[in-house]
Amino acid sequence: MLHGSIPSSILKLADLNVLILSSNKLIGEVSSAVCKLNSLQILDLSNNSLNGFIPQCLGNFSNDLSVLHLGMNNFQGTIPETFSARGSLRYLNFNGNQLQRRIPLSISNCRNLEILDLGNNNIDDSFPHFLETLPELQILILKSNKLHGFVKGSSTNYSFSKLRMFDLSDNMLSGPLPSGYFNNFKAMMNFDVKMEYMGQPNYSYDYSVSLTLKGVVIELVRIQTLLTTIDLSGNKFTGEIPQSIGKLKALKLLNLSHNQLTGNIQPSLRELSNLESLDLSSNFLVGRIPMQLTDLTFLQVFRVSDNRLEGPIPEGKQFNTFDKS
């Protein structure tokens, strides 16, 4: 329940390693004096009512900084332009602000980055393909912005190979679904993964993200390494569902709803043996619902409403566990 502005005296503690003031009622701007704390490893000011501009120096003020969380505030302006190649940043979260313009190319300097969450802002940009060069990136959330243009997908074998959460929902992206990326999502193909939580064990600091899980927006205060999701809903994607999605055997949630997808529902989706939620609603899909989908023994949510489907609804196996709706 702390309120008021951040005291300037805190910003004079030159040897400070960790500063966590999250989930209070703090207001006002963040002084650029925070960049004098060049021993910081964790800076978390999330879930307050801070406003003004994010100090541009925050991108490269500390080589030891691994956590920068300013999400759920009222920051305006732009994302800091200069992120240092010397840094140790692993977790960058600016979700839920009013940030505008572009995603800076310099984020590709953060070679240790595991989580990037820029969702729920006003970013007006094309898809930042340069992020595919980040070798450790596991979670990419760019939902609810003004992203536009194609997401072509890469032909190289290393792009997004560790990615486990890919959320581009509620933007203005168009063109075909990025089948090239689906072919490279190696971490979504392997479900023989040890269950752990993502964070900084030295400080008992857990990473968190905001996600739509099975139709409900929730704040994941702890992130399991087993959770794999693709959410491309609420865009203008066209064309057919690529067969390459069937390779992602560890995928638990797939949401392609509210696009302009055509063609049939691919029987290859039966290969997604760990799938718990499949939402293909509000597209232009035709043909029948494949019988093969009844083999998805973990499927709890299945939505194909508002399409152009025909024929009987499959019966048996997992489909017998659904109610009439």
Side-chain angles (χ1 to χ4, degrees):
M1 303 295 286
L2 298 173
H3 60 272
S5 57
I6 299 174
S8 59
S9 54
I10 287 183
L11 306 182
K12 297 176 182 177
L13 303 174
D15 296 325
L16 199 63
N17 292 140
V18 178
L19 178 56
I20 301 176
L21 298 172
S22 59
S23 301
N24 281 291
K25 297 185 175 182
L26 300 175
I27 60 172
E29 300 186 8
V30 176
S31 168
S32 59
V34 70
C35 295
K36 295 179 180 177
L37 302 176
N38 53 19
S39 295
L40 270 187
Q41 297 179 35
I42 296 177
L43 176 60
D44 186 345
L45 307 177
S46 63
N47 290 283
N48 282 289
S49 297
L50 299 167
N51 57 30
F53 298 100
I54 295 175
Q56 286 291 311
C57 54
L58 280 183
N60 61 357
F61 77 106
S62 169
N63 290 341
D64 297 322
L65 190 73
S66 62
V67 171
L68 179 56
H69 190 357
L70 304 181
M72 305 307 293
N73 281 288
N74 297 313
F75 290 115
Q76 299 176 335
T78 62
I79 298 169
E81 285 290 333
T82 307
F83 285 87
S84 171
R86 302 185 306 275
S88 307
L89 200 62
R90 295 180 178 275
Y91 175 71
L92 178 60
N93 191 335
F94 290 159
N95 188 304
N97 284 286
Q98 300 168 39
L99 300 174
Q100 300 174 331
R101 295 178 62 184
R102 303 176 72 84
I103 299 171
L105 175 63
S106 65
I107 289 181
S108 61
N109 289 331
C110 303
R111 309 300 291 172
N112 298 305
L113 197 64
E114 297 174 353
I115 297 179
L116 177 61
D117 187 349
L118 303 177
N120 298 289
N121 281 286
N122 296 313
I123 297 169
D124 189 349
D125 198 357
S126 56
F127 179 75
H129 290 94
F130 53 83
L131 296 177
E132 70 186 38
T133 64
L134 292 173
E136 302 298 327
L137 194 65
Q138 297 182 43
I139 296 176
L140 177 59
I141 299 177
L142 302 175
K143 64 180 291 186
S144 300
N145 279 288
K146 298 177 181 177
L147 298 180
H148 49 81
F150 286 18
V151 185
K152 294 179 182 178
S154 175
S155 57
T156 59
N157 290 326
Y158 60 83
S159 58
F160 291 137
S161 62
K162 291 191 176 181
L163 205 66
R164 295 182 296 101
M165 294 186 193
F166 188 50
D167 189 347
L168 306 181
S169 60
D170 297 318
N171 280 285
M172 296 178 287
L173 297 162
S174 57
L177 293 171
S179 57
Y181 283 148
F182 299 153
N183 282 318
N184 288 335
F185 288 166
K186 299 292 193 294
M188 299 190 197
M189 299 177 188
N190 177 21
F191 52 81
D192 186 21
V193 178
K194 184 180 178 182
M195 204 288 284
E196 297 175 339
Y197 289 100
M198 298 184 70
Q200 291 291 318
N202 295 345
Y203 297 102
S204 299
Y205 182 90
D206 293 317
Y207 298 158
S208 62
V209 291
S210 175
L211 275 185
T212 302
L213 295 179
K214 302 176 185 176
V216 180
V217 179
I218 64 169
E219 179 77 13
L220 280 182
V221 294
R222 301 182 79 193
I223 306 170
Q224 289 186 0
T225 51
L226 290 176
L227 183 59
T228 51
T229 71
I230 293 177
D231 191 344
L232 304 179
S233 62
N235 283 285
K236 300 177 182 178
F237 287 115
T238 55
E240 299 189 356
I241 300 171
Q243 289 196 13
S244 55
I245 287 185
K247 298 179 180 180
L248 309 179
K249 299 182 186 300
L251 196 63
K252 291 184 179 292
L253 298 105
L254 175 61
N255 190 346
L256 304 177
S257 67
H258 295 87
N259 281 289
Q260 300 168 22
L261 300 176
T262 54
N264 297 314
I265 298 175
Q266 295 286 355
S268 62
L269 293 176
R270 75 180 293 183
E271 304 297 327
L272 303 179
S273 52
N274 283 275
L275 203 63
E276 297 177 10
S277 178
L278 176 60
D279 192 344
L280 305 176
S281 61
S282 298
N283 281 288
F284 301 120
L285 299 171
V286 298
R288 299 189 172 208
I289 300 173
M291 271 294 298
Q292 292 92 330
L293 297 187
T294 63
D295 293 335
L296 298 175
T297 52
F298 294 110
L299 197 64
Q300 298 173 330
V301 175
F302 178 64
R303 296 189 178 117
V304 291
S305 60
D306 294 303
N307 279 289
R308 297 171 180 172
L309 301 171
E310 57 184 297
I313 299 173
E315 297 180 6
K317 298 182 183 178
Q318 188 64 12
F319 275 41
N320 282 356
T321 67
F322 298 148
D323 61 28
K324 294 296 183 185
S325 64

